[in-house]
Amino acid sequence: MSLSKALSLMPRRKLTRGPTPIERLERIEDALGAAAKGIRLYAKRDDQMTLGGGGNKLRKLEFLLGDAAAKGADTLIATGGRQSNFARLAAATAAKFGLSCELVLAPMVPRDGAEYDRNGNVLLDDLFGARIHHLPQGVDATTLANERAAELSQAGRVAYVATLGGSSAVGCVGYAACALEIQEQATELGHDFTSVVVPNGSSGMQAGLVAGYRALGLDPRRVHGHSVLAPAEKAKIATVERANDALALLGLEPSVALDEVTVSGDQLGPGYGIPTQAMVDAVRLMASREGLLLDPVYSGKAFAGLLEDIAAGQYGAGDNVLFIMTGGSPGLYAYASHFLGAERGSPDVRER
Ligand SMILES: Cc1ncc(COP(=O)(O)O)c(C=O)c1O
């Protein structure tokens, strides 16, 4: 069965308006001297989806919502860190489809204060009308979400629980669909993308892309993940498991092996959600050179990884490198003091 046919059999609620644009990053190429090395850089604008401020999680939510509807759900329960982009988009999606939404948010990052606790995604969760359960340290979010679903069920309601950043097999299918979308765009553009660079948090986006490329008969190693949550080896194992689960769900052969998945741990720094200078520099470079917004937790670190890999000579003449802009810019407001108070790093950042 083709990937396209397999996808058409999955329940889905359309949240995107056609393919997201692919744009050349020429001013970044100039700043890096990448053009001189013959490397062409592109951004896929998954940050440009409209609902709820947009971002990569909408692709997962299309299939999660489809599954929820097929199960008759009237409530969406999502878990995440306090500044979770997935939680924000789950709340926006629930608002759009008339579902109740409850968010179970855990303190995954050692930060507090008004900037972090009452701004960015937390502010938007509230505007979208979600009921928020802020967990103290040490309480497991998935357990609490399942307990809450059981309570609602006793009251005659039907809750759909989406944990792990939406990276269940169902959620991962959203990025298998994205692999197909990228390849259709590559055909239109007349050139293939030799590498696709992504952040790896709960591993679902990379897993979905890997599953998609496998299903298309293309090498999944073209997807380069930069882990922002787990050590690289752990993220790699999770990516393989999720890719194979997604393939099985689609009715395709779950045949992805460990050595077919590429994840780097170089940008994790001190840990999940903890800023690094390389991330701050990468966010500033993308903003000041292209007018585009990365986020401090995921895409900022992944783009920093891409910049370092280019500097290290990992890419060469003729490479068309596609970076997926995953959204998450509301997170910038929760980290404002790291940017406004931070020394500007590389000369490229100061240069206009
Ligand atoms: C903005 C953004 N980019 C990337 C990711 C990583 O996606 P995944 O968790 O599927 O690895 C996330 C996950 O929360 C995100 O919010």
Side-chain angles (χ1 to χ4, degrees), residues 192-322:
D192 202 1
F193 294 103
T194 41
S195 300
V196 178
V197 180
V198 296
N200 185 314
S202 58
S203 304
M205 176 168 57
Q206 184 167 1
L209 287 167
V210 163
Y213 279 114
R214 166 48 40 86
L216 291 168
L218 297 166
D219 188 350
R221 271 171 283 231
R222 74 171 63 196
V223 188
H224 297 261
H226 290 275
S227 182
V228 300
L229 177 61
E233 204 48 36
K234 202 170 162 199
K236 208 168 141 174
I237 294 166
T239 305
V240 173
E241 279 176 11
R242 291 193 180 135
N244 282 329
D245 288 351
L247 283 166
L249 184 70
L250 285 164
L252 303 169
E253 185 63 23
S255 59
V256 177
L258 201 58
D259 65 359
E260 292 180 300
V261 169
T262 313
V263 182
S264 157
D266 293 351
Q267 298 301 320
L268 185 54
Y272 174 72
I274 304 178
T276 60
Q277 186 61 48
M279 176 281 288
V280 171
D281 291 350
V283 170
R284 281 198 177 278
L285 184 67
M286 186 68 106
S288 63
R289 282 256 159 194
E290 298 283 353
L292 300 180
L293 295 175
L294 296 166
D295 83 283
V297 178
Y298 301 93
S299 56
K301 285 188 174 178
F303 196 64
L306 172 57
L307 298 180
E308 283 180 17
D309 289 345
I310 290 171
Q314 192 173 307
Y315 298 101
D319 282 346
N320 291 313
V321 181
L322 182 66

Side-chain angles (χ1 to χ4, degrees), residues 82 105-112 133-141:
R82 188 150 293 173
L105 304 182
M108 288 174 66
V109 177
R111 288 176 77 84
D112 52 23
H133 307 268
H134 283 297
L135 297 188
Q137 202 75 45
V139 179
D140 181 61

